[in-house]
């Protein structure tokens, strides 16, 4: 399933790389149907029954961790809208404090075209900056608020960071906000995925990891 997720990324380049990653991750990893869409965007209040107490020593669980590098094969796919290269990261993350499960999927940089008019091919520029993950919605029965998650991944040293701001409403009716961050160096196993749809594929995966969270 993880390989299939990236084998079809290039088909969605015309709707935007990050949106394609999110759509594919949500449907391929979670197996969501149209009827389940609300469950992906709204966290049940019951999932926060021990949120305040658990937030003091919570953890982020990362699963379905996958890095993909798609490079177009010369002479193939030149007439379509697919980019000549796509480097991306995706994974699912679950917060033990509130049970919220969301998806992080983003490109690890961008293509740049030389400005000297030489006609040289575009090159990939790495970017390890923070990227937004899919937001989740929560409710205390009266108000709705957003649980925001972000992630950053440095390919050079395989260092990943995840942060999240969440809310607990199980402590004497008070709404309390928490922000936490977790970091780790991933042990990626890479494989040559061969040629797929005019691209040469490199795919790297990691075992699931549980990361202790430091509250900010």
């Amino acid at each position: 399933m993880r390989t299939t997720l990236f084998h079809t990324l290039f088909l969605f380049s015309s709707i935007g790389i990050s949106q394609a990653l999110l759509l594919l991750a949500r449907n391929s990893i979670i197996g969501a149907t149209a009827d389940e869409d609300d469950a992906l965007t709204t966290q049940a209040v019951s999932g926060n029954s021990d949120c305040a107490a658990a937030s003091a020593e919570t953890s982020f669980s990362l699963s379905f961790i996958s890095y993909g590098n798609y490079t177009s094969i010369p002479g193939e796919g030149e007439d379509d809208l697919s980019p000549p290269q796509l480097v991306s990261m995706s994974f699912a993350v679950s917060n033990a404090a509130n049970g919220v499960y969301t998806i992080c999927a983003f490109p690890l940089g961008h293509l740049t075209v030389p400005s000297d008019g030489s006609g040289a091919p575009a090159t990939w520029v790495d970017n390890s900056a923070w990227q937004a993950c899919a937001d989740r919605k929560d409710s205390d029965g009266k108000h709705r608020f957003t649980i925001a998650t972000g992630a950053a991944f440095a390919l050079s040293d395989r260092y990943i960071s995840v942060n999240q701001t969440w809310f607990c409403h199980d402590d004497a009716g008070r709404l309390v906000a928490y922000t936490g961050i977790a970091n780790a160096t991933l042990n990626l196993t890479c494989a040559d995925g061969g040629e797929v749809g005019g691209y040469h594929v490199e795919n790297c995966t990691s075992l699931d990891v549980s990361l202790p969270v430091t509250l900010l």
Side-chain angles (χ1 to χ4, degrees), residues 8-9 24 37 47 63 82 86 94 100 103 106 117 119-120 125 150-151 156 161 169 186 203 210:
T8 52
L9 282 178
L24 286 166
D37 188 62
S63 57
S82 301
L86 169 62
S94 176
V100 166
I103 297 295
F106 46 87
V125 178
S156 58
S161 299
H169 37 77
L186 295 178
N203 189 48
S210 181

Side-chain angles (χ1 to χ4, degrees), residues 33-116:
T33 66
D35 293 337
E36 293 171 325
D37 188 62
D38 288 342
L40 299 177
T41 57
T42 304
Q43 176 70 20
V45 175
S46 60
N48 287 330
S49 58
D50 298 313
C51 179
S55 292
E57 296 184 10
T58 190
S59 61
F60 294 154
S61 296
L62 275 56
S63 57
F64 300 101
I65 303 166
S66 185
Y67 156 86
N69 187 341
Y70 277 66
T71 305
S72 63
I73 300 171
E76 297 189 28
E78 295 179 348
D79 295 329
D80 58 30
L81 297 176
S82 301
Q85 187 175 20
L86 169 62
V87 183
S88 56
M89 184 71 175
S90 72
F91 57 91
V93 55
S94 176
N95 185 343
N98 56 11
V100 166
Y101 183 99
T102 193
I103 297 295
C104 296
F106 46 87
L108 294 174
H110 63 276
L111 284 169
T112 182
V113 178
S115 58
D116 57 6

Side-chain angles (χ1 to χ4, degrees), residues 99-167:
V100 166
Y101 183 99
T102 193
I103 297 295
C104 296
F106 46 87
L108 294 174
H110 63 276
L111 284 169
T112 182
V113 178
S115 58
D116 57 6
S118 62
T123 57
W124 188 266
V125 178
D126 291 335
N127 182 7
S128 58
W130 284 96
Q131 305 285 341
C133 302
D135 286 341
R136 296 293 304 279
K137 301 297 182 181
D138 197 358
S139 173
D140 60 3
K142 295 182 180 179
H143 309 95
R144 287 172 60 84
F145 38 90
T146 299
I147 300 171
T149 306
F153 180 68
L155 182 59
S156 58
D157 54 9
R158 302 184 176 187
Y159 191 74
I160 194 165
S161 299
V162 180
N163 66 27
Q164 186 177 96
T165 296
W166 67 97
F167 302 84

